[in-house]
Amino acid sequence: MCGIVGYVGRQGCAEILLDGLGKLEYRGYDSAGIAIGVEDGSVQTVRAEGKLKNLQRAYYQAPFEGLVGLGHTRWATHGSPTESNAHPHRAGRVIIAHNGIIENYASLKEELLASGRTFESATDTEVVAHLIDRELEKNPDLSLHQATQNMLALIEGSYALVIMSTSNPDELIVARHASPMVIGLGEDEYFAASDIPAVLAHTRQFIFLEDGQTAILRRDGLQIFDEQGNSVEMTPRRINWDPISAEKQGYKHFMLKEIFEQPARIADTLRGRLSKELDDVILSEVDISKEWLANVQKIVIVACGTSYWAAQISKHMIERHARIAVECDLASEFRYRDPVLDENTLCVAISQSGETADTLAAMRMAQELGAKTLGICNVVESTIAREANGVLYTHAGPEIGVASTKAFSTQLIASALLAIWLGRRRGNLDAQGASELIQTLRTVPNAMEKILLDAEQYESIAPDFADAQSFLFLGRGPQHIIANEGALKLKEISYIHAEGYAAGELKHGPIALIDEHLPIVVIATKDRVYDKVVSNLEEVKARGGRVIAVVTEGDNHVVNFAEKVFFVPDAHEFIQPILTVVSMQLLSYYIADFKGTDVDQPRNLAKSVTVE
Ligand code: G6P
């Protein structure tokens, strides 16, 4: 998974490419590079290992300019993160940037080597450049687009490609299969990008390329083709995102900005989806027959990473309020077992990006087995959103921090809406029951603001815990899921080992870990298992563990067992997990920030995992 940006138009494009790559760094930052067609008809390239700033340094030492260019920021899959493996890759007259994996690259490479071609990188991508160049060498009259089409017939795997050639210096060719690619439309200029924010400062009109499509971008026009090479018309969509919302807005990190944005994004996700009487949920955009959904026998939710913890919370919400059996699966596991699904099953795929390879594959598998599918996605027109039978968008806006925060809390809101909607249609929730849940959902933004007002308290304890080798997070019921998400958050950004555990399972193993060095975060909010969690807390305290407790405002009891207590507002059980997760996010953020890690781009991680 990598980020690509391309430009053809009337301006010198170096800044456009470098800025665009900055917006795409969340997709990978092992290396970066740009290529620009310069005045003498040649294409000049600069690449650098590591983060974008290395590329910028290299570029500004010897700048060059031109009206057509492409750029790439890499998350290494094939070949180590070195400069020689950095994109753009070049073979003869062809220069390309690629996101995805060419699965049959090894046999193609062997064949190309045998024909006398030489390779400069260990990537799968370089074969693509060679294959196109070979086509152009065989037939110099071939257009770059036709040569690309011939190459596409030979490769297998996933790709978003932007291609330029010294023999066609005025155009870019774009191709997409199973990796995201959008085309931005300007005045006498076109942009190609893996994601909208990369070029949102320049245009608001976008075309979302579909799998199998290719395009020719020239200053004077855009042509799009289907897999067979027939010309197709696509209607551009206007994207109203505020470009500034993709910037840090004064926060030290995107992650912190995104944590603080949650009340507003949650309000956005609820907006327009509640009936006037506030006793029902309107999901008009979920394009699955209401009758079918009302009779669904089983729901299977597939997801990865943080979205998987959202799936687990969804299960609690749907089972409790709609009384439908729900299974949750890690998408990477689901696709390699033999799940029992049929045409009465609804498969829900939860994915911020809508592009996670395992989640997409799991959803496609469910479709093949006859199930109907519903995406809960954040990225508009992403692959999961487009391929699912219905989509329920979260309105979190662009999430740049690799560690997911606002995407997660809005996924919980979308799940809550789905649970109420199903509950109403299945007769399990009457108007009054739905109204109670809806009223409580509407209190989330304010309640969350209260937690955010306490952010400094989280910051103040960070030095006391930043040296810990390991953390344990405990909770029961939905708060057990939040404990898992808390542990995931801490480990991904602070690099401290952390484990989430069901508090009731403590005595079956993790209790052996407890000593005076182990910080244990216990979520003990006032809910139906509160007393049980307090008993677990006592077990921890009796063994000398360092307890950080997250409790309901006004709880004076737990204070006696904890080294540090954080309060969250007294709230209905339905929304408690949506609030306590903010506490987990702040705790992890400030510990990581105190340690000085790269919070927004933690080592080895990527925002959108479009490979298996
Ligand atoms: C990566 C990201 C996580 C995210 C997961 C699933 O691992 O670093 O933050 O939760 O992918 O991504 P998705 O876009 O499918 O929600």
Side-chain angles (χ1 to χ4, degrees), residues 91 99 322:
N99 171 28

Side-chain angles (χ1 to χ4, degrees), residues 304-307 350-356 359 402-404 411 489 492 605-609:
C304 298
T306 286
S307 296
I350 304 186
S351 173
Q352 185 284 128
S353 61
E355 302 291 349
T356 301
T359 310
V402 165
S404 185
Q411 284 168 349
K489 217 74 310 160
E492 57 187 348
L605 294 178
K607 182 78 189 152
S608 175
V609 184

Side-chain angles (χ1 to χ4, degrees), residues 232-495:
V232 288
E233 288 297 317
M234 302 274 286
T235 316
R237 284 193 47 180
R238 187 176 166 79
I239 297 296
N240 286 320
W241 287 357
D242 175 1
I244 308 170
S245 76
E247 304 294 334
K248 280 191 225 162
Q249 291 172 349
Y251 288 98
K252 185 168 179 190
H253 294 101
F254 279 112
M255 182 181 174
L256 190 61
K257 169 188 161 272
E258 287 160 4
I259 290 173
F260 274 80
E261 238 181 86
Q262 291 178 104
R265 301 291 84 82
I266 283 171
D268 288 347
T269 304
L270 288 172
R271 192 163 295 125
R273 286 169 166 163
L274 307 177
S275 70
K276 217 159 93 228
E277 297 74 25
L278 296 179
D279 60 358
D280 202 357
V281 164
I282 306 161
L283 297 184
S284 43
E285 76 265 48
V286 176
D287 195 16
I288 302 178
S289 122
K290 314 290 185 250
E291 295 67 38
W292 183 87
L293 262 182
N295 294 315
V296 67
Q297 300 292 306
K298 176 167 97 170
I299 296 180
V300 174
I301 314 181
V302 291
C304 298
T306 286
S307 296
Y308 175 69
W309 299 122
Q312 290 276 6
I313 300 269
S314 287
K315 171 185 164 75
H316 279 266
M317 290 173 163
I318 295 171
E319 288 191 337
R320 185 147 188 205
H321 300 292
R323 306 300 301 148
I324 308 172
V326 181
E327 284 174 19
C328 278
D329 258 288
L330 289 164
S332 53
E333 291 294 320
F334 177 85
R335 57 187 293 201
Y336 294 111
R337 65 178 178 90
D338 291 315
V340 181
L341 323 178
D342 60 23
E343 55 285 355
N344 292 319
T345 308
L346 173 68
C347 171
V348 180
I350 304 186
S351 173
Q352 185 284 128
S353 61
E355 302 291 349
T356 301
D358 284 318
T359 310
L360 178 60
M363 186 185 86
R364 284 178 176 161
M365 181 172 143
Q367 264 165 342
E368 273 162 31
L369 292 169
K372 284 222 187 310
T373 53
L374 174 70
I376 295 184
C377 298
N378 189 42
V379 176
V380 176
E381 296 281 327
S382 52
T383 310
I384 291 175
R386 285 189 290 111
E387 290 193 10
N389 298 112
V391 61
L392 176 50
Y393 282 118
T394 53
H395 296 308
E399 190 178 65
I400 307 297
V402 165
S404 185
T405 53
K406 61 175 181 167
F408 178 74
S409 53
T410 54
Q411 284 168 349
L412 300 190
I413 295 291
S415 301
L417 291 171
L418 183 63
I420 299 172
W421 190 86
L422 288 168
R424 283 294 266 139
R425 264 122 213 98
R426 295 172 70 86
N428 197 61
L429 270 180
D430 59 14
Q432 198 188 337
S435 167
E436 189 193 335
L437 296 178
I438 286 171
Q439 297 288 2
T440 195
L441 269 183
R442 295 173 80 218
T443 65
V444 172
N446 280 344
M448 215 177 239
E449 293 286 6
K450 275 180 144 180
I451 301 173
L452 292 168
L453 281 175
D454 284 342
E456 271 176 19
Q457 291 186 29
Y458 293 86
E459 188 173 11
S460 70
I461 71 150
D464 303 337
F465 293 93
D467 288 338
Q469 296 296 305
S470 182
F471 264 70
L472 196 57
F473 286 72
L474 300 177
R476 288 180 97 123
Q479 301 289 32
H480 157 223
I481 315 298
I482 296 301
N484 277 301
E485 168 58 9
L488 174 59
K489 217 74 310 160
L490 186 72
K491 72 186 127 195
E492 57 187 348
I493 61 171
S494 75
Y495 314 147

Side-chain angles (χ1 to χ4, degrees), residues 91-94 108 111-112 115 117 129-143 146-154 167:
R93 66 215 88 183
V94 176
L108 290 169
E111 188 193 318
L112 287 159
S115 72
R117 287 187 167 261
H130 277 286
L131 290 172
I132 302 174
D133 188 57
R134 187 176 70 177
E135 290 299 309
L136 292 170
E137 190 179 63
K138 275 198 288 196
N139 181 356
D141 294 333
L142 213 56
S143 70
Q146 191 52 56
T148 302
Q149 292 275 62
N150 295 354
M151 173 279 296
L152 292 178
L154 303 173
S167 48

